[in-house]
Amino acid sequence: MKVKLLAALVLAVGMLAISSPVVAHHGSASTFESKTVNAKGVVVDWLWSNPHCLLKVDETLDSGEVRHWVVETQAPANMVDAGWSKTSFKPGDQVTIELRPAKSGKPVGSLSKVTFADGRVLSVERQGGIGVDLYNK
């Protein structure tokens, strides 16, 4: 009887350990709009960290109000394959960001593409599944 109880306990703990990564990861369909919007502004901060990199951009609206965007990308390992690095941005860089905004209306979103003032573009999409997607227009 003790052997069966111990086996059941080990099985239960094993199943919990295996299932936790599945529960921990999330999709973005319920969080972000399907349409993209553009925002032109100044880089405030670039956080190169797991589980998602974050870019903070201040956009000055026509009214003079400043909208503080916080947009997420994928994990650094995925971003390297698309040509991004921890030194891709510095505070003060002039950029136009293309993003899927949050359904809540808050200035957060999922980043699709960044265009620098000099025409360089960084995209979260990888060309052919691998390699750099950094090009000049």
Side-chain angles (χ1 to χ4, degrees):
M1 184 68 168
K2 286 184 179 183
V3 173
K4 285 184 180 181
L5 183 60
L6 182 59
L9 181 62
V10 168
L11 180 63
V13 170
M15 293 302 286
L16 284 173
I18 291 171
S19 66
S20 64
V22 173
V23 174
H25 196 79
H26 57 276
S28 62
S30 64
T31 309
F32 301 113
E33 298 284 352
S34 58
K35 66 177 172 62
T36 59
V37 298
N38 291 327
K40 187 174 183 176
V42 178
V43 171
V44 175
D45 199 9
W46 170 232
L47 303 167
W48 183 259
S49 62
N50 280 314
H52 300 277
C53 300
L54 297 175
L55 181 63
K56 296 181 179 182
V57 173
D58 281 353
E59 173 191 26
T60 302
L61 305 175
D62 291 338
S63 66
E65 177 187 352
V66 176
R67 181 177 293 146
H68 306 287
W69 284 100
V70 177
V71 290
E72 70 177 20
T73 67
Q74 300 170 16
N78 297 338
M79 300 309 293
V80 167
D81 287 342
W84 300 55
S85 75
K86 65 180 178 180
T87 61
S88 291
F89 305 97
K90 63 182 182 308
D93 283 347
Q94 298 284 328
V95 296
T96 300
I97 55 175
E98 180 181 298
L99 63 120
R100 292 176 34 231
K103 288 183 177 180
S104 68
K106 294 181 179 177
V108 297
S110 176
L111 190 60
S112 301
K113 181 170 67 172
V114 178
T115 303
F116 291 85
D118 64 6
R120 290 178 298 131
V121 176
L122 280 172
S123 171
V124 298
E125 299 298 324
R126 297 177 286 180
Q127 292 182 354
I130 58 168
V132 176
D133 188 16
L134 174 63
Y135 59 93
N136 290 315
K137 283 198 166 196

Coordinates of all heavy atoms in Angstrom, one line a residue, residues 24-26 47-54 72-79:
A24 N 2.9 28.6 -17.6 CA 3.6 29.8 -17.4 C 3.7 30.7 -18.7 O 3.6 31.9 -18.6 CB 5.0 29.5 -16.9
H25 N 3.7 30.0 -19.9 CA 3.8 30.8 -21.1 C 2.4 31.3 -21.5 O 1.4 30.7 -21.2 CB 4.4 30.0 -22.2 CG 4.9 31.0 -23.3 ND1 6.0 31.7 -23.3 CD2 4.3 31.3 -24.5 CE1 6.1 32.5 -24.3 NE2 5.0 32.3 -25.1
H26 N 2.4 32.5 -22.1 CA 1.1 33.1 -22.5 C 1.1 33.5 -23.9 O 2.1 33.8 -24.5 CB 0.8 34.3 -21.5 CG 1.9 35.3 -21.6 ND1 3.1 35.2 -20.9 CD2 2.1 36.4 -22.4 CE1 3.9 36.2 -21.2 NE2 3.3 37.0 -22.1
L47 N 15.7 47.6 -22.3 CA 16.0 46.5 -21.4 C 16.1 45.2 -22.1 O 15.2 44.7 -22.6 CB 14.9 46.5 -20.3 CG 14.6 47.8 -19.6 CD1 13.3 47.7 -18.9 CD2 15.7 48.1 -18.7
W48 N 17.3 44.7 -22.1 CA 17.7 43.4 -22.7 C 17.6 42.3 -21.7 O 18.6 42.1 -21.0 CB 19.1 43.6 -23.3 CG 19.6 42.4 -24.1 CD1 20.5 41.5 -23.7 CD2 19.3 42.1 -25.5 NE1 20.8 40.6 -24.7 CE2 20.0 41.0 -25.8 CE3 18.5 42.7 -26.4 CZ2 20.0 40.4 -27.1 CZ3 18.4 42.1 -27.7 CH2 19.2 40.9 -28.0
S49 N 16.5 41.7 -21.5 CA 16.4 40.7 -20.4 C 15.3 39.7 -20.8 O 14.4 39.9 -21.6 CB 16.0 41.4 -19.1 OG 14.8 42.1 -19.2
N50 N 15.3 38.6 -20.1 CA 14.3 37.6 -20.2 C 13.1 37.9 -19.3 O 13.4 38.5 -18.2 CB 14.9 36.2 -19.8 CG 15.7 35.6 -20.9 OD1 15.3 35.6 -22.1 ND2 16.9 35.1 -20.6
P51 N 11.9 37.5 -19.5 CA 11.6 36.7 -20.7 C 11.3 37.5 -21.9 O 11.2 36.9 -23.0 CB 10.3 36.0 -20.2 CG 9.6 37.0 -19.3 CD 10.8 37.7 -18.6
H52 N 11.2 38.8 -21.8 CA 10.9 39.7 -23.0 C 11.8 40.9 -22.9 O 12.0 41.5 -21.8 CB 9.5 40.2 -23.1 CG 8.5 39.1 -23.2 ND1 8.2 38.5 -24.4 CD2 7.7 38.4 -22.2 CE1 7.3 37.5 -24.2 NE2 7.0 37.5 -22.9
C53 N 12.4 41.4 -24.0 CA 13.1 42.6 -24.0 C 12.0 43.7 -24.0 O 10.9 43.6 -24.5 CB 13.9 42.8 -25.3 SG 15.2 41.5 -25.4
L54 N 12.4 44.9 -23.4 CA 11.4 46.0 -23.4 C 12.1 47.3 -23.9 O 13.2 47.6 -23.6 CB 11.0 46.3 -21.9 CG 10.2 45.2 -21.2 CD1 10.0 45.5 -19.8 CD2 8.9 44.9 -21.9
E72 N 7.1 45.5 -25.7 CA 7.9 44.3 -25.5 C 8.2 43.6 -26.8 O 7.5 43.7 -27.8 CB 7.1 43.3 -24.6 CG 5.9 42.6 -25.2 CD 5.3 41.6 -24.3 OE1 5.5 41.6 -23.1 OE2 4.6 40.7 -24.8
T73 N 9.3 42.9 -26.8 CA 9.7 42.0 -28.0 C 9.7 40.6 -27.5 O 9.1 40.3 -26.4 CB 11.1 42.4 -28.5 OG1 12.1 42.1 -27.5 CG2 11.2 43.9 -28.8
Q74 N 10.5 39.8 -28.1 CA 10.7 38.4 -27.7 C 11.9 38.3 -26.8 O 12.4 39.3 -26.4 CB 10.9 37.5 -28.9 CG 9.7 37.6 -29.9 CD 10.0 36.9 -31.2 OE1 10.9 36.2 -31.4 NE2 9.1 37.2 -32.2
A75 N 12.2 37.1 -26.4 CA 13.4 36.9 -25.6 C 14.7 37.3 -26.3 O 14.7 37.2 -27.6 CB 13.5 35.4 -25.2
P76 N 15.7 37.6 -25.6 CA 17.0 38.0 -26.3 C 17.5 37.0 -27.2 O 18.0 37.3 -28.3 CB 18.0 38.2 -25.1 CG 17.1 38.6 -24.0 CD 15.8 37.8 -24.2
A77 N 17.4 35.7 -26.9 CA 17.9 34.7 -27.8 C 17.2 34.7 -29.2 O 17.9 34.5 -30.2 CB 17.7 33.3 -27.2
N78 N 15.9 35.0 -29.2 CA 15.2 35.2 -30.5 C 15.6 36.5 -31.2 O 15.6 36.5 -32.4 CB 13.7 35.1 -30.3 CG 13.2 33.8 -29.7 OD1 13.9 32.8 -29.9 ND2 12.1 33.8 -29.1
M79 N 15.8 37.5 -30.4 CA 16.1 38.8 -31.0 C 17.5 38.9 -31.7 O 17.6 39.5 -32.7 CB 16.0 39.9 -29.9 CG 14.6 40.0 -29.3 SD 13.3 40.1 -30.5 CE 13.6 41.7 -31.1

